[in-house]
């Protein structure tokens, strides 16, 4: 009796005739409870545990996100995913009602509540990670998200088997929205995985390039003659091993932009033209008009950076001279005067940058 009240099956209804399995009329209830609700319960538990680790476990190393735009995008998707089941719950919209029942069955109410709580916990976790981020347990949460998407895909596959019984207006909308939602999220997961692999490879290549350059400059500096040391001060050599090597490392990480950026621009313009027609050409025109401005700004930044590096060379050279003669500085108690001199050079460098 309790199971009948919870599932509200309709004997000899659409689900009994459309599907062939042991659940019969209770097929929507069984799928929604054992697959969808269970997957969202897993996600709910994983998100709560990740929030607890972030707030309570102080042994874990904490970080601050460099760029928060991706987290904001995820938070927006989680907010939409939270609002969608709440809207269906408040409005009493059922996607499993094929026999004319009024209102939502108890299993649908429970499923929508669990789904809303799971996405809400994910939203809270993302908001917490915007402020404080920990690397531990992140892959478990991603597994939970994929698990829920698989559960939604199972429910979608069940609905597709009885699509001819749906209203000709309602089903295409629901099917299109669900298809779009699942495909968008799965595409985003695939894109994140590919992007992570890309950054891992290019950053590995960049670090190897930096290590090779630092070793080569250091080896060359040990073999310089006295004449060569007059041309290359110690500050300039140090700057080559730090700032210049790091600049080349960052350049290595963005080399693929040379071919990927035009490709992305072309694809974006084609898609925009399909939707906006001639209006999309305004964006292309603005992009072309910004090229001279970008060229001027970049050339100006390069010139200013080069002049700023000369001040950095001066500061590093002064510091190396002081450290080399530290015994003399200590002997005559010249710490304050040299500290003021170094501070003056440092203030000039910082004011320039």
């Amino acid at each position: 009796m309790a199971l009948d009240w919870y599932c509200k099956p309709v004997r000899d209804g659409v689900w009994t005739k459309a599907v062939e399995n042991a659940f019969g009329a209770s097929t929507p209830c069984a799928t929604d409870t054992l697959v969808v609700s269970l997957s969202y319960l897993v996600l709910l538990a994983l998100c709560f545990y990740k929030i607890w680790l972030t707030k309570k476990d102080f042994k874990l190393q904490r970080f601050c996100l460099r760029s928060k735009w991706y987290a904001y995008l995820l938070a927006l998707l989680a907010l939409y995913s939270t609002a969608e089941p709440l809207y269906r719950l408040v409005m009493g919209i059922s996607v499993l009602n094929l026999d004319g029942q009024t209102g939502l069955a108890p299993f649908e109410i429970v499923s929508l509540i669990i789904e809303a709580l799971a996405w809400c916990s994910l939203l809270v976790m993302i908001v917490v990670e915007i402020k404080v981020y920990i690397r531990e347990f992140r892959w478990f949460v991603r597994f939970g998200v994929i698990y829920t998407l698989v559960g939604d895909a199972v429910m979608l596959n069940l609905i597709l088997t009885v699509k001819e019984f749906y209203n000709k207006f309602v089903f295409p909308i629901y099917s299109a929205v669900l298809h779009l939602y699942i495909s968008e999220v799965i595409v985003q997961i695939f894109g994140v995985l590919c992007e992570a692999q890309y950054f891992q490879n290019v950053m590995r290549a960049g670090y190897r390039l930096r290590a090779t350059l630092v070793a080569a400059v250091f080896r060359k500096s040990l073999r310089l003659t006295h004449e060569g040391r007059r041309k290359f001060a110690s500050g300039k050599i140090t700057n080559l091993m730090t700032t210049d090597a790091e600049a080349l490392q960052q350049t290595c990480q963005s080399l693929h932009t040379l071919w990927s950026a035009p490709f992305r621009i072309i694809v974006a313009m084609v898609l925009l033209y399909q939707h906006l027609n001639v209006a999309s050409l305004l964006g292309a025109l603005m992009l072309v008009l910004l090229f001279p401005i970008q060229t001027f700004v970049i050339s100006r930044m390069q010139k200013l950076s080069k002049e700023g590096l000369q001040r950095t060379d001066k500061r590093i050279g002064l510091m190396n001279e002081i450290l080399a003669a530290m015994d003399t500085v200590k002997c005559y108690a010249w710490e304050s005067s040299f500290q003021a001199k170094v501070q003056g050079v440092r203030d000039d460098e910082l004011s320039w940058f």
Side-chain angles (χ1 to χ4, degrees):
M1 294 297 293
L3 186 60
D4 290 339
W5 170 84
Y6 181 74
C7 294
K8 293 293 177 90
V10 178
R11 306 302 175 187
D12 299 327
V14 174
W15 290 107
T16 306
K17 302 174 182 178
V19 295
E20 297 180 357
N21 54 50
F23 294 108
S26 301
T27 298
C29 176
T31 305
D32 204 7
T33 303
L34 300 178
V35 179
V36 179
S37 297
L38 183 61
S39 63
Y40 279 106
L41 283 175
V42 172
L43 178 62
L44 180 64
L46 294 175
C47 291
F48 269 115
Y49 185 67
K50 180 71 179 295
I51 296 172
W52 182 86
L53 286 178
T54 306
K55 290 295 186 180
K56 298 298 182 180
D57 195 346
F58 297 101
K59 297 180 181 179
L60 302 178
Q61 190 175 5
R62 283 159 167 75
F63 303 90
C64 184
L65 295 177
R66 293 183 179 179
S67 178
K68 299 180 180 180
W69 291 108
Y70 181 68
Y72 291 148
L73 177 61
L74 292 180
L76 184 62
L77 290 174
L79 180 61
Y80 167 78
S81 301
T82 305
E84 191 268 340
L86 290 178
Y87 175 78
R88 288 169 52 194
L89 183 63
V90 173
M91 301 301 296
I93 300 175
S94 174
V95 297
L96 302 174
N97 182 5
L98 301 180
D99 297 291
Q101 303 98 315
T102 58
L104 296 173
F107 77 90
E108 290 185 274
I109 297 176
V110 173
S111 177
L112 291 175
I113 292 175
I114 294 176
E115 182 178 349
L117 289 176
W119 288 120
C120 184
S121 65
L122 183 64
L123 176 61
V124 174
M125 187 196 75
I126 294 173
V127 173
V128 172
E129 287 184 343
I130 292 176
K131 299 179 180 180
V132 180
Y133 181 78
I134 61 173
R135 294 176 178 173
E136 286 75 11
F137 210 72
R138 62 187 188 275
W139 283 107
F140 291 94
V141 177
R142 294 171 184 175
F143 164 77
V145 174
I146 297 176
Y147 187 23
T148 57
L149 295 179
V150 172
D152 287 336
V154 172
M155 178 59 71
L156 176 62
N157 182 64
L158 177 64
I159 293 175
L160 290 176
T161 59
V162 292
K163 60 182 180 180
E164 62 272 8
F165 296 97
Y166 280 86
N167 183 280
K168 293 183 178 180
F169 176 75
V170 175
F171 177 76
I173 295 179
Y174 175 76
S175 179
V177 171
L178 197 55
H179 269 99
L180 179 62
Y181 171 72
I182 294 177
S183 60
E184 179 182 358
V185 177
I186 289 179
V187 167
Q188 286 193 2
I189 292 174
F190 180 74
V192 168
L193 293 177
C194 293
E195 189 177 19
Q197 188 69 19
Y198 161 74
F199 278 112
Q200 180 181 0
N201 292 330
V202 297
M203 289 183 69
R204 183 188 294 114
Y207 280 117
R208 290 177 178 175
L209 176 61
R210 179 181 178 182
T212 303
L213 290 175
V214 170
V217 172
F218 186 76
R219 188 184 303 110
K220 183 67 176 179
S221 65
L222 295 178
R223 300 177 181 177
L224 284 177
T225 61
H226 292 287
E227 186 67 22
R229 290 188 179 277
R230 294 179 182 177
K231 299 180 181 179
F232 294 93
S234 57
K236 189 172 184 179
I237 295 175
T238 305
N239 204 12
L240 286 174
M241 291 189 295
T242 54
T243 307
D244 295 341
E246 184 177 357
L248 287 176
Q249 173 195 344
Q250 295 177 354
T251 302
C252 180
Q253 297 175 8
S254 57
L255 280 178
H256 285 284
T257 310
L258 295 176
W259 66 268
S260 63
F263 176 75
R264 292 181 180 183
I265 292 174
I266 293 173
V267 172
M269 290 306 304
V270 171
L271 295 177
L272 283 175
Y273 185 79
Q274 291 179 352
H275 290 278
L276 302 178
N277 295 327
V278 183
S280 63
L281 299 179
L282 179 62
L285 180 61
M286 291 297 298
L287 189 65
V288 173
L289 293 178
L290 285 176
F291 281 157
I293 300 177
Q294 291 178 351
T295 303
F296 171 76
V297 171
I298 292 174
S299 61
R300 184 63 178 168
M301 288 178 61
Q302 290 177 348
K303 182 179 179 180
L304 294 177
S305 299
K306 186 179 295 184
E307 295 181 11
L309 290 177
Q310 294 178 0
R311 289 169 167 77
T312 304
D313 294 342
K314 182 179 178 181
R315 175 181 59 82
I316 295 177
L318 179 61
M319 284 298 303
N320 289 334
E321 293 177 4
I322 295 174
L323 293 175
M326 183 55 65
D327 52 350
T328 306
V329 174
K330 289 291 185 180
C331 180
Y332 293 99
W334 288 341
E335 295 92 337
S336 300
S337 59
F338 277 101
Q339 180 182 358
K341 189 173 182 179
V342 172
Q343 189 64 42
V345 177
R346 179 62 173 166
D347 291 340
D348 179 61
E349 177 189 2
L350 290 177
S351 63
W352 176 263
F353 281 111

